[in-house]
Each structure stands twice: as structure tokens, then as C-alpha cells.
Amino acid sequence: MQQALSVHRQILKEAWEITWRFKPLWLLGAFASFWATQNIAEAFFNPPLFSPSSIGGQPMWWQIPSVGGGISAASLFGLVIGVAIFGFIVWITTASRGGLISAVDAASRGKTTSLSQAWTNGTQRFWSIFGISIAGKIIWGSLIFGITCLAAYVAPRDSVAQSILFSALFILMVIVALSLTFIINYALSLVMLHGIKPLDAAVAGTKIFYKNWLLSLEMAVILYGVGILVGITFVAILFVLLMPFMLLWMITASLGHMLWFFIFATPAAILIVAAGITMGAAFTTFQFAAWVLLFKRLMSGNALAKLIRVFHHPR
């Protein structure tokens, strides 16, 4: 059993040690979390953005400049500024992903790593990382659109058949989403650590996932569980910290001096938000470290799924 638990435990332990030892990397983790959670680029692949509106049947994005009868200088300037800000955010989040991967690899080999060096490595591979990430989003968005249309037109509405079909398609979408996540993780590691071209990295990442799908799923489940524990811990800490302020609110409200409540509560709220961002950044760094370390294990051939080890080597 000790051997059966060793692979996941060693990876998670080393990932935590790297995360704790190289705290400056949390800054990259904070930016990289945009891709992992609320991906900014999804705004451009959100179906409502391209859906026909009631005015002329044109897509919404096409009508934005025509609101008010034409394109004014202020509208054009605002659009340019918006695009520039969006491009900057995409650049910094994409480079952060690559920087984290290279930094974790260096740390796992006992080399010293710095925030500036990690950032440089990430920017050097920006287009490769961006291409793989966007390709994953396009594939995922296309699958959602196709599956939704299929379910809407094949099965009768408000029927048992439609409910069964939607349930089956939901399970299929979960499987596809997990598979894409694993393939993208491995492809990014191949690009950053081995310098492979994006298309070749995607093909190789698919092969790695196909051969190690069970081990990848086990790691995903473990990280998901860790994420839940981190969330519960943060909520519990937040609840404890908010209790004194709830008491202060009741006292100041009864005395009619709410100004004092805001004087004390505003800095506390800022600290709580900062603590939440810091915890999220650390967890994202930990996740990246775990996936990179798992990838290195798979490339070395020194990893086997826990379930396979347990059933093939019972004690």
C-alpha cells in the first residue's frame, strides 16, 4: 500500500514544497488563474455575443459601432483602448502560464528560479501557449454548440427522451472537457520544456493522455478535492473574521454612528479580498506544479495509476 500511495503523495508533496519555497511565483499564479477559471477569451466565444439580435438579424458585435447612427471618434478611441487592455491581459496571463511551467521544472531539478526568469521564459513561448489555449477554447465552444443544436433538434421538447439525451450529453461533455484539459496541460509542458511546435505538442499530448488517462483522472480528482478543502477553509476563516464586524455593525447601527463601522470595515474588507486573491494564486501555482511534475513522471516512465498498482500488487 505504501508503494501504491507513493506517486500521488510524492508529486503533491513536491508541488507544495515548490509552491511554498518560491512565493514570488504566486504572482504568476494569480494571472494564470484567469485561464483556469474565468477565461477572459471566452467572452469572444460566448454564443450570445454572436447570436442574431432583433435589429436586422445582425450579430451583436457588428452592431456595436452603429449604435447612435455611426462611429464617433470617442467610440473608436474607446474601442481601441478596450482592445489594447484586452490584449495586454491576454498577454500577461498567457505568459504567466508558460512562466509557471518553466519555473516548476527548474525548481524540480534543484535549480534556482526567479520571477523575472520565469516571466522571460513565458514570453518567449507566448504564441505557442496562446495558440494551444485558444485552440482548446475553440474546440470546446464548437462541441458545446454542436451538441446543443443536436439535442434541441433531435429529441422532442419536454419529453423523457430529451431529458435522457441531455443527461447523456452532459456526461459526454464532462468527459470531453476533462480530456481537453489534460491534453492542453501536457501540450503546454511539451512546448515549454521540450521546445516542440504547438501542433506536434497537441498530438503528443493526446498520446500521453491516451496512455495515462487513468493516472490523469486520479490527479484531477485529487486536485479537485484539495480545491474544495481550500475553499471550505477560506469560507470558515472568512466567517470567523466577519463575526467581530457583524457585532460592530449592530453596535454602530443601534448608536446611529455608522461612519465608524465603515472606517474600520473598509480596510478589513481590502485585507480579506487580498487574502482571497493570495490564497487563490497559491493554489493555482500548486496546481500547475502538480501537473508539471506529473508530466515529468509520465515522460520518464516512472508512474503508474494508483488503481492499477493496488489491484495488480495487492498485499
Side-chain angles (χ1 to χ4, degrees), residues 3 27 41 76 85 119 138 170 195 237 240 292 312-313:
Q3 182 182 2
L27 181 61
L76 184 59
I85 293 175
W119 175 256
I138 294 175
F170 174 77
I237 295 174
V240 173
V292 172
H312 280 212
H313 303 282

Side-chain angles (χ1 to χ4, degrees), residues 30-110:
F31 291 119
S33 61
F34 279 99
W35 279 107
T37 54
Q38 189 64 33
N39 192 342
I40 313 170
E42 284 185 357
F44 284 89
F45 300 102
N46 192 8
L49 192 63
F50 293 90
S51 61
S53 66
S54 59
I55 307 176
Q58 296 177 342
M60 285 298 295
W61 60 270
W62 184 259
Q63 296 183 31
I64 291 176
S66 62
V67 174
I71 303 177
S72 64
S75 300
L76 184 59
F77 178 76
L79 181 63
V80 171
I81 295 298
V83 171
I85 293 175
F86 174 79
F88 175 75
I89 294 176
V90 169
W91 173 65
I92 197 172
T93 53
T94 303
S96 296
R97 298 185 82 186
L100 274 178
I101 294 173
S102 65
V104 170
D105 173 62
S108 66
R109 291 185 284 112

